[in-house]
């Protein structure tokens, strides 16, 4: 059994940015010598995520808009739903993240990280990433403009 | 150390459909000869998911309604929240997915995939899936009516 | 190759509670004798989750409020969005979970479990959890006040 570990480093231009890392993961797997196994790709920060999805610019914008709609920057909405069994208008109280009492302003980045998950496992078969045609590995930065990292750990035979 | 890989194929009747695959995963684990380890169950598409939850028809409908409420088909809502610190009605701008400029109409399927995650690891102990009493493995199809697949890779001793 | 498995047990005071388990996972990894590999930390229930994020009380409250806003207890909102391309007020129909027809009242706990995911893999390097500075492993109880458990399975060299 072999294990092999490397770290990827990021320092994005924007606060939120989505970086395709499939080729870097593939390169690490090649150098690991593992022919069959699994590669863990896991953010080492609590304001970042890793996902597998499409490399399509429009979709990346959709994902970004959708995430920021559900977990808006600065203050988050506590919903006031209609009573059970009722139909009616939706109200919300917009509350500053309690996390910001620590001096941070990235409460939304933590929620985004939990929503998309911070890691994936990429299967390795015949020394290659065993991904579907359209599957690409992305690093999702939710609080960038500073040095962050991702661990890639390959394990197998 | 052993590794063992098989693929499951799906071609669902409906666009969205939830298929219990626990028995198929258990069968693959049995044939793998792995007594102790992990089984990765991972969708090979960017419009599908895999989760572990209850085999209860009502809940599956709840999950479906809830997912489609948060990531509606055709166009998605960009929320207009009240100002920070304020309470008020919620408005939304309903925007066509930018992803649809490519000719696709499945922007919502991608978001659903990211929301529920596309993979799980099932622990294997004494040659069996080491799941809790109510845990069932599901393939979640969000853009079906065509051939899709899931990789099951078992690794262990 | 080594594998090593233990179970953690919980019986929380409150229905929803977030329990830091990093030290317990680290202790299991130490006793496993695994120097390099992966530790799967996975809830064995369909109304619980496991995540990696910050050990900060304000943030834990933020996460709890946010989750309960998106998947409220008792009845869930089916959104009535404006027409595609339109801006307008958001309405909702508040529907009892269909899952409750079984006599259960924890439909929201299932959705919360799916939203945050029920498991993480912690990388192990040099016999230690290879986590970033602020990463802590949490057990997320969404339907507590009864005995629940988490499997920790360590695999590696």
């Amino acid at each position: 059994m072999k294990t092999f570990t490397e770290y990827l480093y990021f320092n994005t231009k924007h606060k939120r940015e989505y970086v395709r890392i499939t080729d870097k993961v593939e390169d690490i797997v090649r150098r690991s010598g593992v022919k069959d196994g699994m590669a863990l790709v896991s953010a080492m920060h609590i304001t970042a995520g890793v996902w597998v999805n499409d490399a399509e610019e429009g979709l990346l914008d959709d994902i970004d808009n959708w995430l920021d709609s559900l977990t808006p920057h600065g203050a988050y909405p506590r919903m006031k739903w209609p009573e059970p069994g009722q139909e009616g208008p939706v109200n919300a109280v917009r509350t500053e993240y309690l996390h910001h009492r620590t001096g941070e302003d990235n409460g939304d980045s933590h929620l985004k990280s939990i929503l998309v998950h911070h890691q994936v496992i990429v299967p390795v078969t015949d020394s290659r990433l065993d991904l579907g045609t359209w599957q690409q590995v992305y690093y999702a930065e939710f609080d960038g403009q500073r040095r962050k990292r991702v661990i890639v750990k390959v394990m197998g035979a």
Side-chain angles (χ1 to χ4, degrees), chain A:
Chain A
M1 203 206 70
K2 284 175 187 145
T3 61
F4 186 81
T5 305
E6 284 205 5
Y7 304 85
L8 301 175
Y9 293 87
F10 303 88
N11 196 334
T12 60
K13 259 194 202 170
H14 304 100
K15 275 284 178 188
R16 294 205 303 274
E17 204 169 311
Y18 309 107
V19 187
R20 200 176 68 83
I21 57 173
T22 322
D23 301 344
K24 290 188 171 170
V25 176
E26 178 106 52
D27 182 56
I28 293 170
V29 165
R30 194 175 42 74
R31 284 184 288 112
S32 76
V34 168
K35 287 179 189 160
D36 203 287
M38 301 179 190
L40 171 69
V41 184
S42 189
M44 300 187 75
H45 299 263
I46 53 190
T47 53
V50 175
W51 70 58
V52 168
N53 215 283
D54 204 355
E56 199 278 298
E57 288 303 316
L59 182 70
L60 291 174
D61 284 344
D62 288 334
I63 295 171
D64 184 74
N65 287 331
W66 171 69
L67 286 174
D68 204 50
S69 210
L70 288 185
T71 60
H73 183 69
Y76 71 111
R78 300 181 66 165
M79 308 303 281
K80 299 218 152 187
W81 301 111
E83 289 300 302
Q86 301 295 308
E87 174 171 348
V90 177
N91 280 267
V93 187
R94 190 86 183 286
T95 315
E96 203 187 353
Y97 290 93
L98 298 171
H99 181 51
H100 293 183
R101 293 182 186 172
T102 62
E104 297 280 355
D105 74 339
N106 60 2
D108 66 304
S109 316
H110 293 268
L111 299 190
K112 288 174 173 84
S113 168
I114 287 177
L115 180 53
V116 308
H117 211 50
H118 72 293
Q119 61 184 190
V120 299
I121 298 263
V122 185
V124 176
T125 308
D126 295 333
S127 306
R128 300 291 304 272
L129 306 187
D130 200 346
L131 292 169
T133 312
W134 302 102
Q135 287 187 305
Q136 297 282 345
V137 187
Y138 269 84
Y139 171 67
E141 177 61 82
F142 299 126
D143 189 23
Q145 299 175 327
R146 54 202 178 93
R147 190 171 166 86
K148 312 270 284 248
R149 64 183 174 142
V150 162
I151 184 171
V152 182
K153 189 179 280 283
V154 194
M155 197 162 100

